[in-house]
Amino acid sequence: RGNEDAHFQAEVRVEFRRMVGEWEVLITGRMDGLSQEGDHWVVEEVKSSALGYDRLAQLDLGDLPDAVLQLQMYLHAMASHGKPALGRLVLMSVADGTQRVLQVNPDPDFGAFLEAQLGWIIAQRERRLAWLARRRQATVPFSHGGWRPGQEALASDVEEVSDRGAHLLLNAPTGLGKTAGVLHGALRSAYRSDRRVFFATARTTQQRIVEDTVRRLAAAGLPIKAVSIRARDKACLNEIVACRPDCCRFANGHHDKVRRQGLAERLWAEEGGVITVPSPDDVVALSQDAVVCPFALTMALCREADVVVGDYNYAFDPTRRISPIADAPGDWIVVIDEAHNLPERARGYASPALHRAALERARDGLQLDPAYAGCTELVEDVLDWMDGSLELLPRGGEMALALDEGVNNTDVGRFAGRFDELGLDYALLKAERPVFEEGDAFLDVARAVNRMRGALERAGDETIAIWRAEGGKEPSGLKLLCRDPAPVLGPTFDDLSATIAMSATLRPVEFYAAMFGLTAANTVSADFDSPFPPENRRVLVVGGVSTEYRHRARDKAAIAVQIEAAIAAVPGNIAVFFSSFALRDEVAGEMGLLSRPVIFQERQMDESD
């Protein structure tokens, strides 16, 4: 364009101001292109597309509503500066070099639309400021009638560390009441400083005690909005997990329905000064009645909540972190329950895999329809790239290499960029003529490549590349293996306002501090003894037998004798824990269990079972 038109300007910054009530609003943007034709200006917005000429020619403005709104905003900005302009949406095909130009005329009603949107945003902001002011005036009560020994000191330590913006490694035994004490201290600090609390758990079952504690606080009159995150696939009300308006009635018009029906206000209803603390089941039930997406509604609630309860992933996984934490980590005090589990999780975040079988499934499905030629070509290119490394291995072979030797970051980044460019085009094709009966193999591959790109951008010497050929125990393809979680966790801990990592087994603290990537200057540790008398918590260490895999056949009968003796000595209920189902089954086979009722955990049990 610059070669064709000497007056053409690229990447032109534009801004304008509006008064809405008592607020001054500044809106800024960057126009792709600006030129003058005769007595008027022309604003150009350029979009790349992987669609070829035939498909590109079928598109109209209704297929690209976001791009049209973007151009309308630019045209409105130009008009506010006394420069009336027309819009031009330029669609460039990266498949065959053709282009489609669609004219966008100024919308005379856009100003009213913009005012309505700004009014809604400001009303939300004013409500938030009023809520924070109410919080600051509140006194955080203790959730129970009295303190257990050591519990008040624990809460005080949490509050002091949260005020300092430091990181606390908290060792406290089961039964002390860590959840109630930690929440009390964290909320006292958060309410004074307009911060929020994310309570991170390793399992869904651990979230219920947090929810119960928050309900007790609400019942005592504390102004508190809380929400628990249930995983997308577990919350989904649709027949399949496909978050698109064309195939899910709960996604269709979701945001308008949430706003129109006041669903957040209904879930956090206040009666007699007591605010409702909804459970995930409450969110799902209301979503079903209102025909909205429960997961998307939960994410909306997270933007306003004082306390969010959820899995580690939503705070620490770079690819799944909720936007309120990703956008403003300094607003959050994060409590990490059973924190000894976090390092292993973090290694998993940084250890993505791209399996050859997944690429083949995507290719085979896409080949069924010539309209997907651009998508098929991309998947085949990734397959060819992968096979270039796999062909160096014998069948069933494996090769581990340093990153700079094992994988080309530029190649992965280029593939990920191509998947990004195809996103809108693929969605349009899929809405008209889907090729996958179950799931979406193409999107699975796209997500895997994007995770690989993200991990490579953050990875260092702690990560290696492992190539596996067909015929081995593990799937064929490429896997990154992160051996040290500190580079993954450290930046997150640095960004957060404060963290409380609590566990009954967070020792030695120096080891876990290193795993979390914490520095000594901003890390505090605290230890608390059990409130129960020693004679009530006897620990017996049995020598002479081993549960090591190589000794199981030899010692399984002797282990069974020891367990039977312990069972016989205790008249009440007994729980026996094993490191694996295989060990459990071997030892149980040696035991006479007929005299007592026995419940066995089965493989693949769901949470309620």
Side-chain angles (χ1 to χ4, degrees):
R1 288 290 285 114
N3 291 334
E4 295 172 0
D5 183 353
H7 301 290
F8 178 80
Q9 303 172 62
E11 300 290 331
V12 180
R13 177 180 170 82
V14 63
E15 67 176 51
F16 63 102
R17 298 174 185 270
R18 285 286 180 274
M19 290 300 299
V20 182
E22 298 179 352
W23 294 79
E24 182 183 34
V25 180
L26 170 65
I27 299 176
T28 66
R30 190 179 299 275
M31 301 180 289
D32 285 344
L34 180 66
S35 61
Q36 195 166 9
E37 297 181 2
D39 61 349
H40 65 272
W41 295 83
V42 175
V43 177
E44 295 187 359
E45 177 64 25
V46 182
K47 302 291 185 187
S48 61
S49 172
L51 299 178
Y53 172 77
D54 292 340
R55 185 64 186 80
L56 211 60
Q58 300 174 30
L59 295 182
D60 58 31
L61 295 179
D63 294 315
L64 303 154
D66 291 345
V68 173
L69 276 175
Q70 189 178 356
L71 264 172
Q72 292 289 359
M73 183 73 89
Y74 294 147
L75 299 180
H76 190 78
M78 292 291 289
S80 71
H81 291 294
K83 298 179 179 179
L86 297 175
R88 189 176 288 156
L89 183 57
V90 183
L91 306 176
M92 305 288 298
S93 172
V94 297
D96 56 22
T98 58
Q99 58 179 281
R100 175 85 188 280
V101 179
L102 299 170
Q103 182 166 316
V104 177
N105 295 318
D107 181 356
D109 297 325
F110 185 80
F113 168 80
L114 178 60
E115 293 293 325
Q117 299 303 309
L118 294 176
W120 181 81
I121 291 171
I122 285 172
Q124 293 286 100
R125 179 62 180 165
E126 289 178 336
R127 279 197 292 271
R128 180 64 183 163
L129 292 175
W131 178 257
L132 291 174
R134 180 180 171 185
R135 281 186 9 163
R136 286 193 294 272
Q137 299 301 315
T139 299
V140 178
F142 186 56
S143 55
H144 295 76
W147 298 93
R148 291 180 183 174
Q151 202 175 25
E152 191 170 12
L154 181 151
S156 178
D157 283 355
V158 169
E159 183 178 357
E160 189 270 332
V161 168
S162 299
D163 285 345
R164 283 178 46 195
H167 307 291
L168 175 62
L169 302 183
L170 175 62
N171 272 293
T174 301
L176 181 67
K178 293 190 291 292
T179 300
V182 166
L183 264 180
H184 181 80
L187 285 172
R188 278 176 58 88
S189 180
Y191 272 39
R192 282 197 304 270
S193 55
D194 292 348
R195 290 178 293 170
R196 302 196 272 167
V197 175
F198 186 94
F199 203 108
T201 68
R203 292 182 296 277
T204 306
T205 50
Q206 293 170 300
Q207 297 175 8
R208 295 179 189 132
I209 189 172
V210 187
E211 294 165 4
D212 180 65
T213 303
V214 174
R215 288 191 185 96
R216 289 173 178 268
L217 293 170
L222 182 68
I224 188 166
K225 296 178 180 179
V227 64
S228 295
I229 302 175
R230 179 174 286 176
R232 185 192 300 270
D233 56 341
K234 292 183 179 180
C236 184
L237 294 168
N238 202 30
E239 291 79 8
I240 56 170
V241 182
C243 304
R244 303 197 321 275
D246 61 290
C247 64
C248 176
R249 63 191 181 98
F250 299 97
N252 190 18
H254 166 87
H255 298 287
D256 291 333
K257 288 184 284 187
V258 168
R259 189 188 305 184
R260 187 169 60 247
Q261 299 178 65
L263 299 187
E265 293 79 9
R266 289 166 63 182
L267 284 166
W268 284 327
E270 183 171 0
E271 186 175 347
V274 175
I275 297 173
T276 303
V277 177
S279 69
D281 288 338
D282 296 331
V283 176
V284 169
L286 182 61
S287 298
Q288 190 152 26
D289 291 342
V291 196
V292 299
C293 171
F295 186 79
L297 177 56
T298 299
M299 291 297 103
L301 295 175
C302 287
R303 289 194 285 272
E304 299 182 43
D306 307 300
V307 176
V308 178
V309 185
D311 189 87
Y312 292 164
N313 300 341
Y314 299 113
F316 291 100
D317 184 349
T319 65
R320 298 182 65 187
R321 189 174 298 138
I322 60 173
S323 58
I325 293 180
D327 294 341
D331 290 348
W332 292 86
I333 299 170
V334 175
V335 178
I336 310 156
D337 193 26
E338 303 295 339
H340 58 274
N341 292 307
L342 183 58
E344 187 61 30
R345 279 286 199 94
R347 279 192 283 266
Y349 302 152
S351 301
L354 181 60
H355 297 144
R356 195 180 189 285
L359 288 163
E360 290 178 326
R361 282 195 299 273
R363 178 200 60 194
D364 295 345
L366 295 168
Q367 284 179 337
L368 299 175
D369 190 335
Y372 287 89
C375 302
T376 306
E377 181 183 1
L378 172 54
V379 173
E380 288 177 336
D381 287 348
V382 180
L383 262 172
D384 291 342
W385 170 81
M386 177 174 284
D387 288 342
S389 293
L390 294 179
E391 66 185 12
L392 303 176
L393 299 175
R395 179 173 175 78
E398 185 175 283
M399 176 171 58
L401 299 167
L403 281 187
D404 56 352
E405 300 175 16
V407 59
N408 188 318
N409 293 17
T410 303
D411 289 343
V412 175
R414 187 176 69 252
F415 290 137
R418 289 172 64 186
F419 277 108
D420 291 344
E421 291 172 356
L422 282 170
L424 177 60
D425 306 330
Y426 180 74
L428 290 169
L429 286 171
K430 183 177 177 179
E432 296 173 356
R433 46 206 297 178
V435 290
F436 299 107
E437 292 184 4
E438 293 186 11
D440 191 319
F442 180 76
L443 283 185
D444 290 342
V445 169
R447 292 182 183 119
V449 172
N450 269 295
R451 283 193 291 269
M452 188 75 66
R453 171 176 61 178
L456 286 169
E457 288 173 350
R458 295 183 296 270
D461 293 339
E462 78 287 342
T463 303
I464 59 174
I466 301 176
W467 291 93
R468 294 187 174 109
E470 206 73 58
K473 292 182 179 180
E474 298 292 334
S476 173
L478 170 64
K479 178 180 176 64
L480 302 185
L481 178 62
C482 172
R483 299 169 295 178
D484 177 8
V488 182
L489 293 174
T492 301
F493 274 94
D494 289 342
D495 289 341
L496 293 169
S497 168
T499 60
I500 313 298
M502 65 181 192
S503 172
T505 56
L506 209 59
R507 296 184 182 90
V509 291
E510 296 82 6
F511 170 79
Y512 282 99
M515 290 289 99
F516 296 153
L518 299 177
T519 59
N522 208 26
T523 305
V524 181
S525 64
D527 280 270
F528 291 86
D529 292 328
S530 172
F532 304 112
E535 59 269 22
N536 289 4
R537 44 191 176 95
R538 176 168 295 174
V539 177
L540 306 176
V541 179
V542 180
V545 295
S546 171
T547 58
E548 284 187 67
Y549 181 80
R550 58 179 176 164
H551 294 149
R552 286 181 188 174
R554 181 195 72 187
D555 288 356
K556 61 183 180 180
I559 294 170
V561 169
Q562 297 290 349
I563 294 174
E564 285 183 302
I567 292 173
V570 178
N573 294 327
I574 302 288
V576 185
F577 298 91
F578 292 86
S579 57
S580 69
F581 283 106
L583 177 61
R584 191 274 308 273
D585 294 342
E586 287 185 22
V587 174
E590 301 290 326
M591 295 172 61
L593 297 171
L594 299 179
S595 61
R596 302 274 287 271
V598 179
I599 300 173
F600 280 98
Q601 178 191 350
E602 301 299 338
R603 292 171 170 82
Q604 308 303 322
M605 266 188 173
D606 62 26
E607 289 176 6
S608 59
D609 289 338

